[in-house]
Amino acid sequence: MGVVASVAELGVALRKARKHLGLTQAELALAAGVGVRFLVELEHGKPSVRLALVLRVIDALGGELDLSGLPGEDSGHG
């Protein structure tokens, strides 16, 4: 996907991935353990979604969250 700079861009990326996998919102919500309403709001870029649930959706799509470019990331833990 590349760099995601906003909640709206994240929603678009997740919707594209879901459709690419041929999943309905209800199917993905069930696989991720989230509600359909949550998934609809996430795909539409609602900024107040819960990160833990977003991570479940990403995992259910077979993806992972990869942070890069953060200060100190090359120095290991701490």
Side-chain angles (χ1 to χ4, degrees):
M1 160 72 212
V3 176
V4 173
S6 70
V7 178
E9 288 177 5
L10 177 61
V12 169
L14 296 177
R15 182 172 47 249
K16 284 182 181 179
R18 175 181 59 78
K19 289 184 175 188
H20 180 79
L21 293 172
L23 297 172
T24 65
Q25 288 175 325
E27 291 168 335
L28 178 55
L30 181 63
V34 301
V36 174
R37 181 177 178 160
F38 171 83
L39 187 57
V40 169
E41 291 174 348
L42 175 60
E43 288 187 355
H44 283 93
K46 183 177 179 183
S48 62
V49 296
R50 291 182 45 204
L51 182 57
L53 299 182
V54 173
L55 294 175
R56 284 189 197 175
V57 171
I58 292 170
D59 183 60
L61 289 168
E64 61 184 25
L65 183 64
D66 180 19
L67 296 177
S68 61
L70 296 176
E73 73 179 46
D74 293 332
S75 62
H77 295 89

